[in-house]
Amino acid sequence: MAQEIKKEVSLQIFKESELTPEIKQLLEKARYAAKNARAPYSDFQVGAALLLSDGSIVLGNNQENAAYPAGLCAERVAFFAAKANNPTASILKAVVVALKMKSSPNSIPAPCGNCRQVMSEYEHAQPENIELYLAGGEGDILMSKSIGNLLPFEFSSDQLV
Ligand code: THU
């Protein structure tokens, strides 16, 4: 009989009114970034706002290209910009907003696998966990205290030869 391995993940759901002023500010900035997204092909505008350990805020949004795979998601645009411009600061909080979602206005966006991998590696490379908030155009906000909750059994540099 095969042995079963289970790993628990923990996520929290907030109403916008329950968010701290700091997260509300990041949410507003992520919404602003989403409005400036370059998404002419999918019309799926995503924005991200990161709070770094030195207090600075870095924004990102999805950047699409006619050669589709050449484009990049909002999360990676923001994370790469943070690490390119401020390599020694930790990323403490990340708020991601998708302005409109097809399934329902209350849907919550889920980062793609590549973004989970990138965010996970940056989390492992710093002492602090990254608190991640995911918001749709309206409605509830999903929060994870660590990227690990979004990517259990992740690939990491520990496995490289
Ligand atoms: N996208 C993001 O920017 N973040 C996500 O979490 C999911 C998807 C972008 C990529 C592409 O520009 C568009 O949304 C549709 O997939």
Side-chain angles (χ1 to χ4, degrees):
M1 188 66 178
Q3 190 197 339
E4 188 182 21
I5 303 170
K6 286 190 177 176
K7 197 161 177 179
E8 272 193 6
V9 300
S10 166
L11 301 168
Q12 296 177 36
I13 301 219
F14 286 93
K15 305 248 169 273
E16 192 167 334
S17 58
E18 296 167 340
L19 298 174
T20 63
E22 181 182 64
I23 299 301
K24 275 186 190 161
Q25 190 204 9
L26 288 173
L27 184 62
E28 282 315 310
K29 287 185 181 288
R31 282 190 177 129
Y32 167 81
K35 286 183 187 134
N36 291 326
R38 183 169 201 274
Y41 305 106
S42 71
D43 197 28
F44 191 75
Q45 293 171 293
V46 187
L50 313 183
L51 175 68
L52 309 192
S53 54
D54 65 355
S56 58
I57 292 176
V58 177
L59 304 185
N61 48 29
N62 50 330
Q63 295 293 323
E64 295 184 353
N65 190 279
Y68 291 177
L72 203 59
C73 295
E75 294 90 326
R76 275 176 289 163
V77 169
F79 273 64
F80 292 157
K83 288 296 166 183
N85 290 294
N86 206 340
T88 57
S90 297
I91 298 168
L92 301 181
K93 296 177 194 226
V95 177
V96 178
V97 174
L99 282 189
K100 43 185 170 178
M101 300 193 53
K102 199 175 184 180
S103 33
S104 113
N106 285 324
S107 300
I108 294 173
C112 80
N114 283 317
C115 288
R116 291 178 198 218
Q117 177 68 29
V118 165
M119 294 190 289
S120 168
E121 183 152 331
Y122 285 128
E123 181 171 88
H124 283 301
Q126 64 183 38
E128 307 91 345
N129 282 351
I130 299 172
E131 205 172 274
L132 177 67
Y133 292 79
L134 302 169
E138 51 189 280
D140 291 344
I141 291 141
L142 197 67
M143 189 273 255
S144 169
K145 289 184 178 169
S146 162
I147 304 299
N149 286 313
L150 276 85
L151 194 63
F153 304 109
E154 81 276 21
F155 176 72
S156 80
S157 58
D158 301 347
Q159 296 161 41
L160 293 175
V161 181

PDB file of all heavy atoms in Angstrom, residues 38-39 42 44 46 61-64 72-75 96 109-112 115, ligand 1:
ATOM      1  N   ARG A  38      -0.476  46.364 -20.332  1.00  0.00           N
ATOM      2  CA  ARG A  38      -0.532  46.235 -21.796  1.00  0.00           C
ATOM      3  C   ARG A  38      -1.116  44.857 -22.099  1.00  0.00           C
ATOM      4  O   ARG A  38      -0.388  43.850 -22.114  1.00  0.00           O
ATOM      5  CB  ARG A  38       0.866  46.387 -22.401  1.00  0.00           C
ATOM      6  CG  ARG A  38       0.825  46.334 -23.913  1.00  0.00           C
ATOM      7  CD  ARG A  38       2.139  46.739 -24.565  1.00  0.00           C
ATOM      8  NE  ARG A  38       1.892  47.137 -25.956  1.00  0.00           N
ATOM      9  CZ  ARG A  38       1.844  46.298 -26.971  1.00  0.00           C
ATOM     10  NH1 ARG A  38       2.054  45.009 -26.790  1.00  0.00           N
ATOM     11  NH2 ARG A  38       1.595  46.735 -28.189  1.00  0.00           N
ATOM     12  N   ALA A  39      -2.428  44.824 -22.287  1.00  0.00           N
ATOM     13  CA  ALA A  39      -3.093  43.535 -22.491  1.00  0.00           C
ATOM     14  C   ALA A  39      -4.031  43.588 -23.698  1.00  0.00           C
ATOM     15  O   ALA A  39      -5.224  43.284 -23.583  1.00  0.00           O
ATOM     16  CB  ALA A  39      -3.847  43.140 -21.223  1.00  0.00           C
ATOM     17  N   SER A  42      -5.360  39.681 -24.563  1.00  0.00           N
ATOM     18  CA  SER A  42      -6.259  38.961 -23.645  1.00  0.00           C
ATOM     19  C   SER A  42      -7.315  39.883 -23.040  1.00  0.00           C
ATOM     20  O   SER A  42      -8.340  39.415 -22.555  1.00  0.00           O
ATOM     21  CB  SER A  42      -5.451  38.356 -22.497  1.00  0.00           C
ATOM     22  OG  SER A  42      -4.980  39.377 -21.626  1.00  0.00           O
ATOM     23  N   PHE A  44      -7.058  41.055 -20.319  1.00  0.00           N
ATOM     24  CA  PHE A  44      -7.048  40.632 -18.914  1.00  0.00           C
ATOM     25  C   PHE A  44      -5.968  41.457 -18.222  1.00  0.00           C
ATOM     26  O   PHE A  44      -4.786  41.129 -18.279  1.00  0.00           O
ATOM     27  CB  PHE A  44      -6.749  39.130 -18.840  1.00  0.00           C
ATOM     28  CG  PHE A  44      -6.957  38.514 -17.486  1.00  0.00           C
ATOM     29  CD1 PHE A  44      -8.236  38.259 -17.009  1.00  0.00           C
ATOM     30  CD2 PHE A  44      -5.870  38.167 -16.690  1.00  0.00           C
ATOM     31  CE1 PHE A  44      -8.430  37.677 -15.772  1.00  0.00           C
ATOM     32  CE2 PHE A  44      -6.053  37.572 -15.441  1.00  0.00           C
ATOM     33  CZ  PHE A  44      -7.339  37.334 -14.984  1.00  0.00           C
ATOM     34  N   VAL A  46      -3.837  42.966 -15.324  1.00  0.00           N
ATOM     35  CA  VAL A  46      -3.399  42.580 -13.983  1.00  0.00           C
ATOM     36  C   VAL A  46      -2.382  43.606 -13.486  1.00  0.00           C
ATOM     37  O   VAL A  46      -1.529  44.068 -14.253  1.00  0.00           O
ATOM     38  CB  VAL A  46      -2.763  41.168 -13.985  1.00  0.00           C
ATOM     39  CG1 VAL A  46      -2.472  40.708 -12.559  1.00  0.00           C
ATOM     40  CG2 VAL A  46      -3.659  40.164 -14.699  1.00  0.00           C
ATOM     41  N   ASN A  61       2.770  45.387 -14.035  1.00  0.00           N
ATOM     42  CA  ASN A  61       1.521  45.004 -14.698  1.00  0.00           C
ATOM     43  C   ASN A  61       1.871  44.088 -15.861  1.00  0.00           C
ATOM     44  O   ASN A  61       3.030  43.991 -16.256  1.00  0.00           O
ATOM     45  CB  ASN A  61       0.719  46.234 -15.154  1.00  0.00           C
ATOM     46  CG  ASN A  61       1.574  47.233 -15.883  1.00  0.00           C
ATOM     47  OD1 ASN A  61       2.557  46.851 -16.521  1.00  0.00           O
ATOM     48  ND2 ASN A  61       1.238  48.504 -15.807  1.00  0.00           N
ATOM     49  N   ASN A  62       0.867  43.381 -16.366  1.00  0.00           N
ATOM     50  CA  ASN A  62       1.209  42.445 -17.446  1.00  0.00           C
ATOM     51  C   ASN A  62       1.511  43.206 -18.739  1.00  0.00           C
ATOM     52  O   ASN A  62       0.899  44.228 -19.044  1.00  0.00           O
ATOM     53  CB  ASN A  62       0.163  41.338 -17.644  1.00  0.00           C
ATOM     54  CG  ASN A  62      -1.264  41.828 -17.767  1.00  0.00           C
ATOM     55  OD1 ASN A  62      -1.642  42.840 -17.219  1.00  0.00           O
ATOM     56  ND2 ASN A  62      -2.065  41.079 -18.511  1.00  0.00           N
ATOM     57  N   GLN A  63       2.500  42.694 -19.437  1.00  0.00           N
ATOM     58  CA  GLN A  63       2.988  43.293 -20.674  1.00  0.00           C
ATOM     59  C   GLN A  63       2.900  42.233 -21.768  1.00  0.00           C
ATOM     60  O   GLN A  63       3.683  41.284 -21.788  1.00  0.00           O
ATOM     61  CB  GLN A  63       4.453  43.745 -20.494  1.00  0.00           C
ATOM     62  CG  GLN A  63       4.623  44.859 -19.466  1.00  0.00           C
ATOM     63  CD  GLN A  63       4.000  46.180 -19.912  1.00  0.00           C
ATOM     64  OE1 GLN A  63       4.042  46.526 -21.089  1.00  0.00           O
ATOM     65  NE2 GLN A  63       3.412  46.904 -18.978  1.00  0.00           N
ATOM     66  N   GLU A  64       1.914  42.386 -22.640  1.00  0.00           N
ATOM     67  CA  GLU A  64       1.713  41.378 -23.696  1.00  0.00           C
ATOM     68  C   GLU A  64       2.406  41.794 -24.983  1.00  0.00           C
ATOM     69  O   GLU A  64       2.716  42.974 -25.196  1.00  0.00           O
ATOM     70  CB  GLU A  64       0.213  41.172 -23.922  1.00  0.00           C
ATOM     71  CG  GLU A  64      -0.445  40.581 -22.685  1.00  0.00           C
ATOM     72  CD  GLU A  64      -1.924  40.268 -22.872  1.00  0.00           C
ATOM     73  OE1 GLU A  64      -2.492  40.621 -23.929  1.00  0.00           O
ATOM     74  OE2 GLU A  64      -2.497  39.669 -21.949  1.00  0.00           O
ATOM     75  N   LEU A  72       4.878  39.085 -20.427  1.00  0.00           N
ATOM     76  CA  LEU A  72       5.157  38.685 -19.045  1.00  0.00           C
ATOM     77  C   LEU A  72       4.006  39.098 -18.124  1.00  0.00           C
ATOM     78  O   LEU A  72       3.381  40.139 -18.322  1.00  0.00           O
ATOM     79  CB  LEU A  72       6.459  39.337 -18.571  1.00  0.00           C
ATOM     80  CG  LEU A  72       7.196  38.652 -17.421  1.00  0.00           C
ATOM     81  CD1 LEU A  72       7.587  37.208 -17.767  1.00  0.00           C
ATOM     82  CD2 LEU A  72       8.444  39.440 -17.035  1.00  0.00           C
ATOM     83  N   CYS A  73       3.781  38.266 -17.105  1.00  0.00           N
ATOM     84  CA  CYS A  73       2.718  38.531 -16.120  1.00  0.00           C
ATOM     85  C   CYS A  73       3.094  39.697 -15.208  1.00  0.00           C
ATOM     86  O   CYS A  73       4.274  39.982 -14.991  1.00  0.00           O
ATOM     87  CB  CYS A  73       2.501  37.308 -15.236  1.00  0.00           C
ATOM     88  SG  CYS A  73       1.885  35.854 -16.077  1.00  0.00           S
ATOM     89  N   ALA A  74       2.078  40.291 -14.615  1.00  0.00           N
ATOM     90  CA  ALA A  74       2.263  41.426 -13.701  1.00  0.00           C
ATOM     91  C   ALA A  74       3.171  41.067 -12.521  1.00  0.00           C
ATOM     92  O   ALA A  74       4.009  41.867 -12.107  1.00  0.00           O
ATOM     93  CB  ALA A  74       0.903  41.861 -13.178  1.00  0.00           C
ATOM     94  N   GLU A  75       2.993  39.861 -11.976  1.00  0.00           N
ATOM     95  CA  GLU A  75       3.777  39.476 -10.799  1.00  0.00           C
ATOM     96  C   GLU A  75       5.265  39.475 -11.120  1.00  0.00           C
ATOM     97  O   GLU A  75       6.091  40.002 -10.366  1.00  0.00           O
ATOM     98  CB  GLU A  75       3.378  38.059 -10.318  1.00  0.00           C
ATOM     99  CG  GLU A  75       1.959  37.958  -9.790  1.00  0.00           C
ATOM    100  CD  GLU A  75       0.935  37.600 -10.857  1.00  0.00           C
ATOM    101  OE1 GLU A  75       1.095  38.019 -12.026  1.00  0.00           O
ATOM    102  OE2 GLU A  75      -0.038  36.902 -10.531  1.00  0.00           O
ATOM    103  N   VAL A  96      -1.896  41.622  -5.684  1.00  0.00           N
ATOM    104  CA  VAL A  96      -2.125  41.394  -7.118  1.00  0.00           C
ATOM    105  C   VAL A  96      -3.614  41.573  -7.403  1.00  0.00           C
ATOM    106  O   VAL A  96      -4.464  41.019  -6.689  1.00  0.00           O
ATOM    107  CB  VAL A  96      -1.677  39.967  -7.528  1.00  0.00           C
ATOM    108  CG1 VAL A  96      -1.961  39.704  -9.002  1.00  0.00           C
ATOM    109  CG2 VAL A  96      -0.202  39.768  -7.219  1.00  0.00           C
ATOM    110  N   PRO A 109      -8.233  36.104  -8.645  1.00  0.00           N
ATOM    111  CA  PRO A 109      -7.246  35.598  -9.609  1.00  0.00           C
ATOM    112  C   PRO A 109      -6.232  34.664  -8.942  1.00  0.00           C
ATOM    113  O   PRO A 109      -5.936  34.810  -7.765  1.00  0.00           O
ATOM    114  CB  PRO A 109      -6.548  36.873 -10.093  1.00  0.00           C
ATOM    115  CG  PRO A 109      -6.692  37.836  -8.972  1.00  0.00           C
ATOM    116  CD  PRO A 109      -7.994  37.508  -8.291  1.00  0.00           C
ATOM    117  N   ALA A 110      -5.719  33.737  -9.732  1.00  0.00           N
ATOM    118  CA  ALA A 110      -4.708  32.803  -9.236  1.00  0.00           C
ATOM    119  C   ALA A 110      -3.438  32.973 -10.064  1.00  0.00           C
ATOM    120  O   ALA A 110      -3.495  32.863 -11.287  1.00  0.00           O
ATOM    121  CB  ALA A 110      -5.219  31.377  -9.358  1.00  0.00           C
ATOM    122  N   PRO A 111      -2.298  33.261  -9.440  1.00  0.00           N
ATOM    123  CA  PRO A 111      -1.058  33.422 -10.205  1.00  0.00           C
ATOM    124  C   PRO A 111      -0.721  32.150 -10.987  1.00  0.00           C
ATOM    125  O   PRO A 111      -0.998  31.040 -10.527  1.00  0.00           O
ATOM    126  CB  PRO A 111       0.004  33.673  -9.128  1.00  0.00           C
ATOM    127  CG  PRO A 111      -0.752  34.173  -7.947  1.00  0.00           C
ATOM    128  CD  PRO A 111      -2.093  33.500  -8.012  1.00  0.00           C
ATOM    129  N   CYS A 112      -0.133  32.319 -12.162  1.00  0.00           N
ATOM    130  CA  CYS A 112       0.241  31.156 -12.981  1.00  0.00           C
ATOM    131  C   CYS A 112       1.412  30.417 -12.328  1.00  0.00           C
ATOM    132  O   CYS A 112       2.067  30.930 -11.411  1.00  0.00           O
ATOM    133  CB  CYS A 112       0.598  31.604 -14.395  1.00  0.00           C
ATOM    134  SG  CYS A 112       2.272  32.273 -14.562  1.00  0.00           S
ATOM    135  N   CYS A 115       4.862  32.226 -12.289  1.00  0.00           N
ATOM    136  CA  CYS A 115       4.952  33.294 -11.282  1.00  0.00           C
ATOM    137  C   CYS A 115       5.076  32.705  -9.880  1.00  0.00           C
ATOM    138  O   CYS A 115       5.816  33.222  -9.044  1.00  0.00           O
ATOM    139  CB  CYS A 115       3.753  34.227 -11.370  1.00  0.00           C
ATOM    140  SG  CYS A 115       3.803  35.283 -12.835  1.00  0.00           S
TER     141      CYS A 115
HETATM  142  N1  THU B   1      -1.547  37.235 -16.092  1.00  0.00           N
HETATM  143  C1  THU B   1      -0.925  37.944 -15.104  1.00  0.00           C
HETATM  144  O1  THU B   1      -0.359  39.013 -15.351  1.00  0.00           O
HETATM  145  N2  THU B   1      -0.945  37.427 -13.853  1.00  0.00           N
HETATM  146  C2  THU B   1      -1.624  36.322 -13.482  1.00  0.00           C
HETATM  147  O2  THU B   1      -1.617  35.973 -12.299  1.00  0.00           O
HETATM  148  C3  THU B   1      -2.349  35.534 -14.484  1.00  0.00           C
HETATM  149  C4  THU B   1      -2.193  35.961 -15.886  1.00  0.00           C
HETATM  150  C5  THU B   1      -1.581  37.817 -17.431  1.00  0.00           C
HETATM  151  C6  THU B   1      -0.755  37.129 -18.468  1.00  0.00           C
HETATM  152  C7  THU B   1      -1.466  37.553 -19.738  1.00  0.00           C
HETATM  153  O3  THU B   1      -1.005  38.835 -20.113  1.00  0.00           O
HETATM  154  C8  THU B   1      -2.924  37.669 -19.323  1.00  0.00           C
HETATM  155  O4  THU B   1      -2.900  37.798 -17.910  1.00  0.00           O
HETATM  156  C9  THU B   1      -3.784  36.493 -19.731  1.00  0.00           C
HETATM  157  O5  THU B   1      -3.224  35.307 -19.341  1.00  0.00           O
END
